[in-house]
Structures are given as C-alpha cells and as structure tokens.
Amino acid sequence: MPTPHPTRATRMRRVSLTLLAVVVALCGGYVAACALVPVPAPTVQLEAESPRVFSVDESQVQDAVDGYGRPSAVGWLDGEEVWTNDDEAHPLASITKLVTVLVGQEAEPLAPGADGPTHTWSAADTEIQAALQEIDGIAFPIPEGTEVTRKQMLTLALVPSANDFATAYAHSVFGDNAGFVAAVTDWAERQGLDSLVVREPSGMDDGNVASAADVVRIARLALADPVLAEIVSTERVTMPWGIGEVENTNPLLGAMTGAVGVKTGHTDVAGYNLAAAATGSFADRELTRIAVVLGRDSQEGRARDARALLNRLGDAPERLAVASAGEHLGQITSIDGQLIELSADETVDAVLVPGEELTRTIDAAAADITLTGPAGEQSVAVHRDGSIEDPTLLWRLTHPRELFFR
C-alpha cells in the first residue's frame, strides 16, 4: 500500500517545530552563556593620593644655624641630614680625640664591659707627656713601667681630655704618629668626611681641621659605638696612680636634661669648640639631637650656643596623622553598578623630624595601606563599606553588551 504524502499543514507544523527547537536551543545557549561568562573585576578608583609622601619643613632648622655668625651645625643621631651655616674646615682642638678613638676602635675594637689589652707606659710616652706639658697640654704624669688598660686610656682621653693618654693610645694601636695619620686618612675617605685632616691624635696641632657638618657626622659615629658612648656620657670618674677624680670637660653633662656627651675642644687658634648631644622624648618618640659649635670666644659662649641649638632641634619634630579612621580613600564599582566606599580602618600617627620622609601607598585591591618611614614598614587595613555581589541572572540576560563586548 503506498505511503501517503504529508499534507502542506503537516509540513508547516514540522518546520515550525524545528524552528522552535532551534530557538529554544539558541535561547538556552544564550542563557547558559550569560550565566557562565566571567564578569570583569570591579573597577577601583582611588581618590586619595597614592603614593603620598609626608615630611616636615626643614626651614626652621636651617634658620636655627643661620642665626649664628660662627661655624655651627646640627643633626639627629638617627639620620644622615646635617644643617650647617659654614662648609669650611676649622681647627678641631680636642674634638680630634673623637677621631682618634674611632679609628682605634675600628682597628682594635674594645668590647663593652671589657678592659682590653694592657699598655706599659714607656720612656717615649713620658717624653711626649713632658712635651705636651710645656705647651700647656692636659697631661696626667705617671711613672714609666705603669700598666694602663685600653679602657683607662680611652677614659682619660675622652673624659678630662688628656692629651698624653690620647697620644699613647694612638701609638699603642698604630705604632707611631705616621701610622696613625695614615689610618685616619684612609678612614676619613671611607666615611666620606671630605673636610677632615688630622696630623696628630691629641688635638694640640691646629692643622687638625674639619667642617662643623663633618663633626656632626663624627659625633654620630662616636655615639653609635657603645663603648665610646658610655665614656663620653660619664660626668666624673676616679682614676688610679694618684690621679684621683677627674671630671668631664663637657659643660652640658649634668646641667642639661638628657645631655649625653660628646666632646669639647680649645686652643688659642681654634677658640672654644663643642660637639654636644642630648636625648629626649618628642611626642612619644625617643630622639637624640646633635649640635656642633666651633670657634666660640669662651667656654660660656660654646655652652650657651650648643644648648640653644639643641633646644631648637627639640622644637622641630612633628606628629602627623598619616592615616585617619574613616578617611575616604576611593571607591569600588562593579560592572552592574554596585558601589563600595573605601576608607582607612584606623588612625595612625607618625613623629617625623626634618630630613625624614614617610610614604603611604594604598593597595585597594588587597585592602591594605602600607606606611614606610623611619620606624620601618607598617600596614593599615582598608575598610570596605559592604561587599560586591555577583550580578543577577536577569541583569546578565539584559546586558549582553557589558558581558560580551567589553
């Protein structure tokens, strides 16, 4: 029996069903594509400056040293900046002894709490001692054959500024004056002390010179050595061999709160010199200030000027709010228009001195603020006011341009 041919209506119905199936398949594919296609990451828009650098005005410190007509310089122990009013080299007098002991400590370091090797006082030491006394150098005669420890030589050289013991110390380490001068020349070059010239270890030679700024740098090095820092801060000490009690020549020790050294100097040519340092707490940060005055007319004048400069430095530190809780930083916007406000999660203050910088960097994607400054690195969380939700299926279906043609 022959198979009947489908009617036109039947054929049309089959075509319609096929088209419907295609449409359904296409729609299903579209829905699936919309549902599965990854959406782009939210856009981060920072409105706060990043990186941002915080610092303190330096002009007040420069004004402080510029107020003096004689060589002056200041700086902080922790730092590299120095402010000065005179770049010329001037006679150091007994400030030379700081160089002497620093170079000696590098060659043969004395450990904290140790007495060190023993030096036997020689005929050459006695001869140098007598020559120094003839030109009014500070000396403490002791018999030949006396055994003197390294710690005792350093103490007498730095506390009462004994020229004989400073010289004996240098010669005990370097053999003679030529060896000492060669060591100083090499050391000064490595330390970047371009103005420093030293001809002998005691400071009696006015050819021993340096700029006030380099003396600040020398003082930093001395205070960074725990053995030397302890000695230069000693107000008085009792020595053997009939010497008895000796006092530190630094007029600020015991007279100014926080004074910690470092060294005086005086000759007729050099005038009255003083490298002074003092510690203190400034907005909860412990800081050590250094002031150097050269060529003053009197002991009183060098003490007065050094004290005034140290006090001026004490006014310079500032507490800055480098992050404030709730501080608006920017916003995050999702592809479907969701908006999240970004702000600092807490308040952080930093105490800065002139010459220092603190950098604030915001990483909104990581929800982190990094503070990099003198105290190291610190992190502060970024607060997000809400969270980004995935776009709804309805939004995805009605926004093909955003999903597929971005």
Side-chain angles (χ1 to χ4, degrees), residues 3 86 94 195 216 235:
T3 303
D86 188 326
S94 281
S195 70
V216 170
E235 290 186 47

Side-chain angles (χ1 to χ4, degrees), residues 351-371:
V351 178
L352 299 180
V353 301
E356 292 180 338
E357 291 185 346
L358 181 146
T359 302
R360 184 179 80 172
T361 305
I362 304 170
D363 185 346
D368 184 72
I369 302 172
T370 301
L371 305 174

Side-chain angles (χ1 to χ4, degrees), residues 12 29 46 89 119 149 151 154 201 244 290 315:
M12 290 297 295
L46 283 180
H119 171 74
T149 67
K151 179 68 174 293
L154 288 171
I290 299 173
D315 295 332

Side-chain angles (χ1 to χ4, degrees), residues 103 106 174 176-190 198-200:
V103 176
E106 182 182 75
F174 299 104
D176 55 21
N177 194 66
F180 165 73
V181 170
V184 172
T185 301
D186 174 67
W187 178 84
E189 182 177 353
R190 287 185 285 109
V198 171
R199 295 178 178 176
E200 55 80 40

Side-chain angles (χ1 to χ4, degrees), residues 122-390:
S122 65
D125 294 328
T126 300
E127 183 179 345
I128 291 172
Q129 199 170 59
L132 287 167
Q133 286 181 299
E134 288 182 4
I135 55 174
D136 295 325
I138 298 173
F140 295 91
I142 58 175
E144 290 181 31
T146 300
E147 292 187 342
V148 186
T149 67
R150 180 67 53 81
K151 179 68 174 293
Q152 289 169 331
M153 285 199 288
L154 288 171
T155 299
L156 282 166
L158 294 175
V159 176
S161 199
N163 295 312
D164 50 352
F165 281 87
T167 304
Y169 167 71
H171 290 182
S172 72
V173 175
F174 299 104
D176 55 21
N177 194 66
F180 165 73
V181 170
V184 172
T185 301
D186 174 67
W187 178 84
E189 182 177 353
R190 287 185 285 109
Q191 297 297 332
L193 302 170
D194 298 334
S195 70
L196 178 64
V197 176
V198 171
R199 295 178 178 176
E200 55 80 40
S202 73
M204 291 299 291
D205 190 324
D206 288 313
N208 294 351
V209 298
S211 66
D214 273 350
V215 176
V216 170
R217 298 180 180 103
I218 292 166
R220 281 177 178 151
L221 294 170
L223 292 173
D225 183 307
V227 171
L228 302 183
E230 178 186 12
I231 295 174
V232 298
S233 66
T234 301
E235 290 186 47
R236 57 184 57 83
V237 62
T238 300
M239 302 302 296
W241 319 302
I243 292 175
E245 185 177 82
V246 293
E247 293 189 355
N248 200 309
T249 56
N250 188 333
L252 299 188
L253 284 176
M256 180 179 181
T257 301
V260 291
V262 243
K263 192 70 190 74
T264 59
H266 171 252
T267 66
D268 290 342
V269 173
Y272 291 87
N273 299 339
L274 176 58
T279 61
S281 180
F282 304 91
D284 301 324
R285 180 181 173 188
E286 290 295 322
L287 292 166
T288 298
R289 301 151 284 161
I290 299 173
V292 170
V293 295
L294 304 178
R296 268 39 180 191
D297 292 329
S298 65
Q299 294 182 8
E300 295 77 17
R302 71 182 176 187
R304 179 190 64 246
D305 291 354
R307 182 196 295 267
L309 284 170
L310 290 173
N311 286 334
R312 287 289 297 275
L313 277 185
D315 295 332
E318 293 184 19
R319 180 183 288 279
L320 304 176
V322 295
S324 301
E327 175 187 357
H328 180 68
L329 304 176
Q331 58 193 23
I332 297 177
T333 306
S334 69
I335 190 174
D336 61 344
Q338 298 177 66
L339 187 67
I340 301 297
E341 298 291 339
L342 303 175
S343 61
D345 197 51
E346 61 179 306
T347 296
V348 177
D349 292 346
V351 178
L352 299 180
V353 301
E356 292 180 338
E357 291 185 346
L358 181 146
T359 302
R360 184 179 80 172
T361 305
I362 304 170
D363 185 346
D368 184 72
I369 302 172
T370 301
L371 305 174
T372 306
E377 192 170 280
Q378 179 181 358
S379 292
V380 178
V382 172
H383 175 71
R384 295 184 178 185
D385 185 21
S387 60
I388 299 292
E389 303 293 337
D390 286 338

